[in-house]
Amino acid sequence: MTTRNQTTLTITGPMRPRYDEILTPEALQFLAELHHRFAGPRHDRLAERMQVRYDLGNGRDLRFLPETASVREDASWRVAGAGPGLEDRRVEITGPCDPKMTINALNSGANVWLADLEDATSPTWGNIVEGQLSLFDAIRGQLTHTNEAGKQYEVTAEHTPTIVMRPRGWHLVEKHIEHVDRNGLRLAASASLVDFGLYLFHNAHELIARGRGPYFYLPKLENHREARLWNDVFTFSEQRLGLPHGTIRATVLIETFGAAFEMDEILYELRDHCAGLNAGRWDYVFSIIKNYRGRGQWFVLPDRDRILMTLPFMRAYTELLVQTCHKRGAHAIGGMSAFIPNRRDPEVTERALERVAADKLREASDGFDGSWVAHPDLIPVARAEFDAVLDDRPNQLDRQRGDVHVTARDLLDIRSAGGEVTLAGVRANISITVRYLESWLRGIGAAAIDNLMEDAATAEISRSQLWQWIHQDHLTTEGEPVSKQLVERMLREVLAELPTPEGHKLAEAEDVFRTVTLQEDFPTFLTVPAYTRYLVEQAERVEAVTVAA
């Protein structure tokens, strides 16, 4: 029985070999305590998101908050800054946490590895728990892997990247763990608290002993109140696990439109735990489309491949981020160019290297302290551009960017992108969305498609553009309206052209595509219905963990 002073946690997913090393009674008790204290505030923050989306859809525009002007205008405060091992972040590699990708990242030569349990991971129960196992073993220097062909992988690098783990966002749940709250309601666990809690519980002290620390990337924050919730989680967790206050360091992804208007406030709320901000460009574009999808032609973006970082509204966003970070002693980390090399196609590789070099040159010249790459072969390219600017300095925090003067109007200037949509762009979005979903449903969250690295964020842009173009009756440059009928026809053509190897998930991908693109309602994230419908496993319940408040 659960009283009003207790939270019960129950594992509903299957227990496979070594899962009991992560899902220990002590770790589950810590998760239960996190849910007891923070599940309610999490629901409050998510309810606020719904209200904001409603207001934006009814004509209210985002703005810099007048009630927090004193935080923005106070020049005296600073954030904690880099923890041990985070001083130099000029090249960060991103990727999922399966054993092979973990070993490849640790051998890559990057300064930082973003160990991603979010957009680059398909959140199957196996991927989540086994990702935690990979991190557990990697941190202790005991990770090896042998693939089905017998090829062996092991960490051979003398100096490995500092690990910064990205948990899933506040909006996501982990349906293989249930908690019964203090009011007796049975709910799926918060994916954020599960990912964060398991990683911190098992690895914080080990990381510190090895000269690093428990570091996190925080995704999908929409305002400073969500940052305050994370700060409360950090402070409680440090006290609970015997860690000095400020041991945990977070880098916040500014990847929602609302967060761009509250960067100072987000840093302020996390100031004892904050290392920096990241320009999460792809989710940022998706957030714009999602929030302004019904606001008319002024907010219609062009073909996806024309949404460039040099557009005025994207320049405003990134330059404001650099200025805000450096004013507060925080690292400004650039985003990920989606281009990747193809070792079987020299021409594709040459084009990718050129475009990534130009992207990193722009970021380094603008004042960013580092940036992301999605492939090990891109590390030398990115490093060369940042080395040319930084030389032997670990960062360029001294570059204050007093020349930057960004207004709300600048951030909202979506019209400057133009709204040119082509039939080829419509077809490309259909193809990318379907192929990415098929990969995701097979448990692969980062997929190379047409020489681009696609993850959940880039797929979100593709499907949300299609939804918006349909509902705004947008005309292509060829004069044909983007309609459901057009998308249906192109969808049939795309599906007919795709290969169907054994074990493919094209039927399921088509089903999800229709749900997130062709229905009248707009699902806030494509992964939410896809996860509930196709990735949840069932198993006999194990013994519940009951925690007294």
Side-chain angles (χ1 to χ4, degrees), residues 62-68 72 260-263 265 320 406-409 411:
L62 291 164
R63 58 177 180 163
F64 295 107
L65 302 176
E67 61 267 30
T68 56
R72 296 192 299 276
F261 291 80
E262 300 185 33
M263 286 191 268
E265 293 89 335
L320 180 60
V406 172
T407 67
R409 183 184 295 272
L411 293 172

Side-chain angles (χ1 to χ4, degrees), residues 300-343:
V300 173
L301 288 168
D303 285 355
R304 200 187 85 167
D305 62 5
R306 300 185 187 185
I307 305 174
L308 305 175
M309 297 304 295
T310 52
L311 291 172
F313 74 96
M314 295 299 282
R315 292 288 292 160
Y317 149 65
T318 55
E319 291 193 320
L320 180 60
L321 187 148
V322 171
Q323 181 192 56
T324 304
C325 283
H326 288 182
K327 180 171 62 175
R328 305 303 182 183
H331 282 150
I333 307 300
M336 186 178 71
S337 174
F339 294 98
I340 54 174
N342 184 333
R343 292 170 179 171

Side-chain angles (χ1 to χ4, degrees), residues 64 68-75 77 79 224 227 254 259-271 274 277 320-321 323-328:
F64 295 107
T68 56
S70 60
V71 172
R72 296 192 299 276
E73 294 166 0
D74 181 355
W77 60 269
V79 301
H224 69 281
I254 302 300
F261 291 80
E262 300 185 33
M263 286 191 268
D264 268 307
E265 293 89 335
I266 287 169
L267 288 172
Y268 184 79
E269 294 293 347
L270 282 159
R271 60 193 179 279
C274 198
L277 302 178
L320 180 60
L321 187 148
Q323 181 192 56
T324 304
C325 283
H326 288 182
K327 180 171 62 175
R328 305 303 182 183

Side-chain angles (χ1 to χ4, degrees), residues 10-30:
T10 304
I11 305 295
T12 61
M15 294 293 289
R16 300 188 176 105
R18 295 194 66 199
Y19 283 24
D20 58 352
E21 297 178 36
I22 297 298
L23 302 170
T24 63
E26 296 81 7
L28 294 176
Q29 178 158 334
F30 179 55

Side-chain angles (χ1 to χ4, degrees), residues 265-524:
E265 293 89 335
I266 287 169
L267 288 172
Y268 184 79
E269 294 293 347
L270 282 159
R271 60 193 179 279
D272 289 347
H273 295 104
C274 198
L277 302 178
N278 171 278
R281 61 180 74 172
W282 304 119
D283 266 308
Y284 186 75
V285 172
F286 164 55
S287 177
I288 292 170
I289 301 167
K290 175 167 61 177
N291 285 299
Y292 283 82
R293 65 188 184 276
R295 291 282 297 274
Q297 295 293 329
W298 281 23
F299 294 96
V300 173
L301 288 168
D303 285 355
R304 200 187 85 167
D305 62 5
R306 300 185 187 185
I307 305 174
L308 305 175
M309 297 304 295
T310 52
L311 291 172
F313 74 96
M314 295 299 282
R315 292 288 292 160
Y317 149 65
T318 55
E319 291 193 320
L320 180 60
L321 187 148
V322 171
Q323 181 192 56
T324 304
C325 283
H326 288 182
K327 180 171 62 175
R328 305 303 182 183
H331 282 150
I333 307 300
M336 186 178 71
S337 174
F339 294 98
I340 54 174
N342 184 333
R343 292 170 179 171
R344 295 183 297 275
D345 191 329
E347 184 177 339
V348 167
T349 296
E350 182 180 2
R351 185 165 59 249
L353 296 181
E354 288 176 354
R355 294 186 178 184
V356 170
D359 187 67
K360 303 315 165 191
L361 172 61
R362 174 189 53 77
E363 289 180 328
S365 300
D366 284 348
F368 280 96
D369 303 292
S371 190
W372 284 6
V373 297
H375 193 285
D377 289 353
L378 298 175
I379 290 173
V381 177
R383 187 178 300 283
E385 300 301 335
F386 276 90
D387 284 352
V389 172
L390 296 177
D391 196 17
D392 59 354
R393 296 177 299 157
N395 55 62
Q396 48 184 332
L397 290 173
D398 58 326
R399 190 170 176 206
Q400 294 291 295
R401 292 306 308 267
D403 57 309
V404 172
H405 305 283
V406 172
T407 67
R409 183 184 295 272
D410 295 328
L411 293 172
L412 288 163
D413 186 22
I414 312 305
R415 192 180 187 185
S416 64
E420 295 82 7
V421 175
T422 66
L423 288 172
V426 175
R427 186 182 182 87
N429 277 359
I430 294 168
S431 178
I432 289 167
T433 304
V434 169
R435 286 189 284 167
Y436 178 76
L437 282 169
E438 195 277 332
S439 172
W440 191 89
L441 290 165
R442 285 187 288 108
I444 301 170
I449 298 174
D450 296 336
N451 302 307
L452 298 173
M453 184 56 71
E454 303 284 349
D455 66 5
T458 54
E460 289 282 23
I461 296 174
S462 294
R463 71 92 181 184
S464 61
Q465 282 195 305
L466 291 168
W467 193 98
Q468 185 186 36
W469 294 339
I470 291 169
H471 287 264
Q472 292 297 325
D473 299 318
H474 201 67
L475 282 176
T476 65
T477 57
E478 295 88 350
E480 186 167 355
V482 183
S483 63
K484 287 186 179 179
Q485 292 75 22
L486 173 66
V487 173
E488 288 271 14
R489 174 171 60 79
M490 287 188 171
L491 174 62
R492 290 192 296 272
E493 293 169 357
V494 166
L495 289 169
E497 294 169 358
L498 292 176
T500 55
E502 184 178 354
H504 73 84
K505 299 286 186 180
L506 281 175
E508 295 89 338
E510 179 185 359
D511 174 54
V512 176
F513 177 92
R514 293 180 179 279
T515 297
V516 302
T517 303
L518 296 176
Q519 290 189 358
E520 286 301 311
D521 292 334
F522 181 89
T524 53

